Amino acid sequence: MGEEMTTVDMEAIVSLSKRRGFIFQSSEIYGGISGSWDYGPFGVELKRNIKNVWWRDMVQRRDDIVGLDAGILMHPRVWEASGHVEGFTDPLVDCKSCRKRFRADHVKDGRCPECGGELTDPRMFNLMLRTFLGPVEDDASITYLRPETAQGIFVNFANVLDVSRRKLPFGIAQMGKAFRNEITPRNFTFRTREFEQMEIEYFVRPGTDEEWHRRWVTERFEWYVRYGIRREYLRLRQHEGDELAHYAKATFDIEYLFPFGWAELEGISNRTDFDLRQHALFSGRDITYYDEDTGAHVVPYIVEPSGGVDRAALAFLVDAYREEKVRKRKRVVLRFHPELAPIKVAVFPLLRNRPELVTAAKDIASDLRPHMMTMYDDTASIGRLYRRQDEIGTPFCITVDVETLEDNAVTIRERDSMEQIRVPIPEVRHTLLRKLGRL
Ligand code: GAP
């Protein structure tokens, strides 16, 4: 195994993301747009894998959570009831000299962070992105792109309860896009204007909310560790009274030590019965849970683990990144958990001008493709092909060499240890599935 050289800096991550096809700047050919990013061929796989394991662990493997996929566009009254029209704001200040804008709470000494100029008094700025429904741009047609997926769950509480016949406690999970007109999008994909959330609204009996809140904080913290984030790079931080969202009684953030410092990966809030009561009030509907045991109608309390897919992807990327020295040369490797790795196996012929080797390698790749993300590559020397796969975090590489033609076996090279084993071709698929923990 190689010796580690440095700790990661953000520029290395941004540059690798572009070079290898994880993340591109949105609309780059037009000079880019702030706060929006595009995921390339490997980034999309990473993100998809994160979403798949989240869904599998939070929905498929539990019998107390069901899924939902609500629309991004909702009735404008939703955002009045939720408190977002009134209170989803950040304090904004302008520099009187260079005219740049900042979030007042991100400015340290009351002067412009760019030029040191004087700043205006803060004014509140609503973060919701407005849009118009239909052809007429008048007030009646205004609505918002959802700033959180959670509200789609609250307004469907009664529908889901009806069809799923759940007893408290139970949860509804959803993932999807959310939009916020952030004043200063920054730190690569960390704070963007368009992002994906993965949220659970977990409905519990009033009085059991604090216990469930604690359980969910632990559950979600351990989830990041399970998929490879180093424990010492994670911490919990409880919100101070003045930073709590308008709906929250208590919130814990799971923070990750990014190259730019500790920052929120996921928030787990005790939202009390605020949301269901607000929607009942604004819609005039009965949004309660009928307790068959006591004959009483209960407004459940809600514990909400709310994570960002993009932030999780960034943390997994940063945490996996290593620069090592191998035989005096630098090796960049992404040590992704195998479940998150975009490509599970790459297959190469040692010599691309030997048709028998090319055919054998292509056959192995075809055999593996139905079972795992597989890549065939013969566009460079073997050393370079290994380096490419290390940089995208592929756990296994298979090389077909001249000996293969005699012993019908190939070399499987493991990403982290760089150890190589010889495996008969008929056993390759089984060996990989076992190593990937799928058997
Ligand atoms: N429903 C609760 C809620 O939305 P939040 O703390 O505002 O709470 C939850 O957001 C998660 O969504 C955050 O922990 C973060 O991972 C992600 N998130 C929020 N704003 C984001 C942004 N501007 N860019 C990327 N991710 C964001």
Side-chain angles (χ1 to χ4, degrees):
M1 203 186 300
E3 154 205 345
E4 282 184 28
M5 267 167 43
T6 54
T7 51
V8 60
D9 76 89
M10 206 56 197
E11 263 173 41
I13 299 291
V14 176
S15 138
L16 177 117
S17 294
K18 173 156 191 208
R19 188 170 75 248
R20 287 298 179 214
F22 280 91
I23 301 168
F24 305 125
Q25 193 182 15
S26 165
S27 322
E28 194 190 349
I29 60 167
Y30 290 102
I33 180 176
S34 174
S36 187
W37 296 87
D38 299 340
Y39 288 80
F42 301 119
V44 71
E45 295 299 331
L46 172 64
K47 228 175 140 182
R48 188 179 282 265
N49 291 341
I50 292 169
K51 291 193 280 187
N52 285 347
V53 293
W54 185 88
W55 195 265
R56 188 191 61 194
D57 296 345
M58 298 298 124
V59 180
Q60 184 192 330
R61 286 186 175 166
R62 302 182 62 114
D63 68 356
D64 58 347
I65 298 188
V66 293
L68 182 76
D69 186 11
I72 288 172
L73 297 173
M74 301 179 75
H75 196 288
R77 293 273 286 165
V78 167
W79 307 110
E80 289 171 34
S82 68
H84 282 81
V85 171
E86 178 90 9
F88 195 55
T89 50
D90 273 343
L92 170 82
V93 286
D94 291 293
C95 173
K96 290 183 183 168
S97 308
C98 72
R99 310 244 164 259
K100 292 230 166 80
R101 298 200 148 155
F102 306 95
R103 250 173 75 169
D105 54 332
H106 285 170
V107 173
K108 285 206 182 80
D109 52 7
R111 310 294 298 185
C112 172
E114 295 280 326
C115 74
E118 199 187 331
L119 297 170
T120 59
D121 288 336
R123 60 204 156 85
M124 294 318 266
F125 171 77
N126 195 296
L127 295 182
M128 282 198 295
L129 274 155
R130 279 205 304 174
T131 189
F132 298 92
L133 296 183
V136 188
E137 293 195 5
D138 60 15
D139 281 358
S141 59
I142 283 180
T143 191
Y144 304 92
L145 302 183
R146 66 182 177 194
E148 59 172 5
T149 64
Q151 298 300 326
I153 297 182
F154 304 139
V155 301
N156 277 294
F157 172 75
N159 285 337
V160 176
L161 191 60
D162 270 357
V163 296
S164 64
R165 315 222 61 82
R166 297 277 151 170
K167 285 200 185 284
L168 291 180
F170 76 93
I172 304 176
Q174 173 168 227
M175 54 176 77
K177 291 268 184 176
F179 301 83
R180 296 182 191 178
N181 203 359
E182 298 283 357
I183 296 169
T184 43
R186 61 165 130 174
N187 289 330
F188 197 28
T189 54
F190 180 80
R191 177 168 292 109
T192 54
R193 294 190 170 127
E194 172 178 349
F195 53 96
E196 261 181 291
Q197 289 189 314
M198 31 193 193
E199 300 200 288
I200 297 166
E201 306 303 325
Y202 199 75
F203 302 92
V204 305
R205 282 175 199 281
T208 64
D209 49 307
E210 291 182 7
E211 167 60 17
W212 276 108
H213 193 193
R214 277 192 292 276
R215 283 165 78 160
W216 272 110
V217 168
T218 309
E219 169 76 29
R220 292 302 306 150
F221 190 97
E222 293 303 321
W223 187 84
Y224 289 100
V225 176
R226 198 179 317 151
Y227 292 103
I229 300 239
R230 290 162 294 177
R231 195 177 280 281
E232 61 276 23
Y233 282 69
L234 289 170
R235 74 174 187 195
L236 282 178
R237 192 181 68 80
Q238 183 164 15
H239 280 206
E240 307 281 340
D242 60 352
E243 61 174 320
L244 280 174
H246 59 273
Y247 49 71
K249 167 172 153 185
T251 297
F252 284 91
D253 283 348
I254 300 173
E255 294 189 333
Y256 178 73
L257 184 54
F258 286 97
F260 46 85
W262 288 100
E264 175 187 348
L265 204 50
E266 169 158 347
I268 299 120
S269 290
N270 181 342
R271 290 184 79 127
T272 71
D273 54 2
F274 175 84
D275 301 277
L276 293 184
R277 283 198 189 278
Q278 284 293 101
H279 287 302
L281 186 69
F282 277 68
S283 67
R285 296 287 185 93
D286 171 27
I287 310 185
T288 56
Y289 170 86
Y290 177 67
D291 188 338
E292 283 171 2
D293 299 336
T294 62
H297 286 267
V298 178
V299 182
Y301 267 44
I302 295 170
V303 174
E304 176 197 62
S306 170
V309 182
D310 309 81
R311 278 197 195 171
L314 185 60
F316 283 119
L317 194 60
V318 167
D319 206 76
Y321 185 94
R322 302 285 197 291
E323 287 181 8
E324 302 172 348
K325 221 188 256 172
V326 178
R327 280 180 243 108
K328 298 204 175 131
R329 293 186 63 182
K330 181 168 119 176
R331 170 171 102 121
V332 172
V333 57
L334 292 181
R335 294 187 179 215
F336 284 131
H337 185 286
E339 297 233 47
L340 301 187
I343 304 293
K344 310 299 181 206
V345 61
V347 191
F348 321 130
L350 183 65
L351 304 164
R352 67 179 140 162
N353 55 3
R354 290 282 298 268
E356 320 90 278
L357 301 189
V358 168
T359 306
K362 285 188 174 169
D363 285 350
I364 293 171
S366 308
D367 180 56
L368 293 174
R369 240 174 229 124
H371 305 277
M372 61 192 83
M373 279 304 286
T374 304
M375 198 169 152
Y376 169 85
D377 198 358
D378 64 7
T379 57
S381 69
I382 208 78
R384 194 170 269 212
L385 293 177
Y386 279 149
R387 270 206 298 287
R388 268 188 209 162
Q389 295 301 326
D390 286 344
E391 281 201 349
I392 60 166
T394 304
F396 302 104
C397 290
I398 295 177
T399 305
V400 175
D401 52 29
V402 183
E403 248 177 82
T404 304
L405 303 175
E406 276 152 36
D407 65 2
N408 201 35
V410 290
T411 300
I412 300 183
R413 179 242 200 203
E414 204 267 331
R415 177 194 68 201
D416 297 343
S417 64
M418 290 182 284
E419 273 171 15
Q420 305 199 356
I421 52 169
R422 197 85 187 154
V423 176
I425 291 177
E427 289 171 30
V428 164
R429 191 206 309 169
H430 189 270
T431 306
L432 288 177
L433 287 171
R434 194 162 35 72
K435 282 179 178 291
L436 288 166
R438 304 240 191 108
L439 288 179

